[in-house]
Amino acid sequence: MSSRELFAELDDLLPSVMGFEAVCWHHTDPVTGLPTSMVSTTLDPRGMGPAMDLEFGGGDIATIRQMNAQGSLVAALSQVTEGHPERSIRMREHLSVYGFGDELRLRFDLGEGTWGFAALMREKGRGPYSTEELRFAGQANRLITGALRRSYRPETRPATAAPVPAVIVLGPNDELVAADQPGHALLLELADSVFDVLAVPAVFLVISRLARHAEADPSGIPATMRVQTRAGQWIILRGSVLHGVGLSQVVVTASTPTPTEIMPVVLSSHGLTRRERLVAAEVLRGGSTREIAKALSLAQATVQDHLKSIFVKVGVHSRGELVALLTLDGPRLDQPASSDRG
């Protein structure tokens, strides 16, 4: 099923089991783990921007960035604060305003890429998430991740190409200021719950926050994200702050990714392990078995075992077929035929 169908199924199944009143689903850039959409029928999309400010502003706990860095898959505020969720900035300044008393976060990652993220909010009167509920969440996480990754799984070239290159300009409050014709088409292509209210998809709010934080701290997270369109094509979004036009604006450019930018996603979508991805990258560079073994400090027999596993997962029978599939001259594995985004 598509990712949106999956989220809808989970909306029906999980509340009675996990005991929560609101949930926010996110697609993510598989490489950085940062959200590229917001899908929710229970939360006000206008809260997405302030929530991202708290995520990237620093000082909070169990943030998306921290969970990515630590490899955490399940984190409840009540758990990480030892029963004092009010120690969390987002709980004090954001979640408690809506009557929530605990938040459970799920990062959907099987070790080869982060395919989504979810936040499950429960009302204060319900009390904190229990140890049993957290254990169940960990078990469900693996199943959800597998299904979500398959929704990204590339199959064939999409019928329509993404409207890129494109340019979109956002105002100081992330309102749409201007866009070229492809930019307007791209906004519709990436439409999600935030777009329905603010006329700007959630990924642009994230890019805007990243660009503004990078302006203040160049050592922070780069304002660059991979995102998949409804048609299934991967594109790259880059944000930067404009000056000299009154209040600061953010310009977002969209372009087709280079093979280097998209290859980690392509390989990860087939479930390749980190070592298998390294071997595949060496194959694309033209390395022989001996050269790959030397470059990765592996035995040649181990390289051959990795290659056999890669061939099975990708669905090819030789290095030549693998290279053909993973280069721009062959079928585009990074472009599934049907994948309902946003």
Side-chain angles (χ1 to χ4, degrees):
M1 62 176 65
S2 73
S3 58
R4 172 157 285 196
E5 291 171 334
L6 175 63
F7 293 154
E9 290 278 351
L10 294 171
D11 277 343
D12 291 335
L13 291 172
L14 290 183
S16 61
V17 180
M18 296 296 298
F20 59 85
E21 282 70 40
V23 59
C24 183
W25 305 100
H26 302 285
H27 300 94
T28 56
D29 176 338
V31 177
T32 66
L34 296 177
T36 59
S37 75
M38 173 184 176
V39 181
S40 179
T41 60
T42 52
L43 292 172
D44 186 343
R46 287 169 291 191
M48 177 74 175
M52 289 300 100
D53 282 332
L54 294 172
E55 288 292 329
F56 304 136
D60 206 1
I61 53 180
T63 63
I64 294 174
R65 188 181 185 185
Q66 289 173 352
M67 290 185 68
N68 290 334
Q70 297 167 0
S72 301
L73 300 180
V74 178
L77 280 180
S78 57
Q79 177 192 41
V80 298
T81 61
E82 300 180 336
H84 298 279
E86 67 276 4
R87 292 175 181 172
S88 164
I89 298 174
R90 66 178 177 277
M91 176 57 72
R92 295 196 307 269
E93 299 184 4
H94 188 64
L95 296 175
S96 63
V97 175
Y98 297 96
F100 299 124
D102 202 2
E103 178 197 55
L104 175 63
R105 291 188 159 194
L106 303 177
R107 188 174 68 91
F108 303 121
D109 189 328
L110 293 175
E112 74 292 299
T114 302
W115 302 102
F117 196 89
L120 286 58
M121 279 70 74
R122 97 176 354 177
E123 292 179 353
K124 189 173 183 178
R126 282 184 178 267
Y129 284 99
S130 67
T131 301
E132 182 179 352
E133 289 168 332
L134 294 178
R135 186 181 301 113
F136 174 82
Q139 296 170 340
N141 182 288
R142 187 172 185 83
L143 298 175
I144 295 170
T145 302
L148 187 57
R149 188 187 69 191
R150 284 191 293 274
S151 76
Y152 285 84
R153 182 77 180 261
E155 300 294 344
T156 59
R157 185 184 299 274
T160 58
V164 293
V167 178
I168 298 95
V169 179
L170 304 178
N173 297 314
D174 298 325
E175 73 277 14
L176 180 62
V177 173
D180 58 9
Q181 186 171 356
H184 281 291
L186 185 61
L187 292 172
L188 294 174
E189 182 72 14
L190 300 177
D192 59 2
S193 298
V194 174
F195 177 84
D196 294 341
V197 175
L198 302 180
V200 176
V203 67
F204 288 92
L205 302 185
V206 177
I207 281 283
S208 174
R209 261 67 182 180
L210 290 176
R212 297 184 190 281
H213 283 288
E215 178 84 355
D217 179 12
S219 65
I221 308 173
T224 302
M225 300 184 71
R226 300 160 187 80
V227 62
Q228 198 176 39
T229 67
R230 287 179 180 273
Q233 185 172 346
W234 289 97
I235 60 174
I236 294 288
L237 297 179
R238 294 181 175 86
S240 58
V241 178
L242 295 175
H243 298 283
V245 287
L247 295 175
S248 63
Q249 299 177 341
V250 172
V251 59
V252 181
T253 60
S255 60
T256 301
T258 66
T260 300
E261 290 172 323
I262 200 59
M263 199 58 60
V265 176
V266 177
L267 297 177
S268 295
S269 67
H270 285 275
L272 269 64
T273 65
R274 177 180 175 276
R275 185 55 60 85
E276 288 169 348
R277 296 198 299 272
L278 292 174
V279 170
E282 292 296 328
V283 170
L284 292 174
R285 296 188 182 100
S288 65
T289 299
R290 177 179 297 179
E291 291 168 337
I292 296 173
K294 182 178 180 179
L296 301 179
S297 300
L298 299 173
Q300 293 187 43
T302 303
V303 172
Q304 292 288 8
D305 289 340
H306 283 315
L307 284 172
K308 291 177 183 177
S309 178
I310 292 169
F311 292 166
V312 170
K313 290 180 178 180
V314 178
V316 298
H317 300 90
S318 68
R319 295 189 188 205
E321 289 183 19
L322 178 66
V323 172
L325 285 170
L326 298 183
T327 59
L328 296 180
D329 293 332
R332 292 294 299 277
L333 285 190
D334 55 313
Q335 299 179 354
S338 60
S339 183
D340 188 4
R341 295 283 165 252

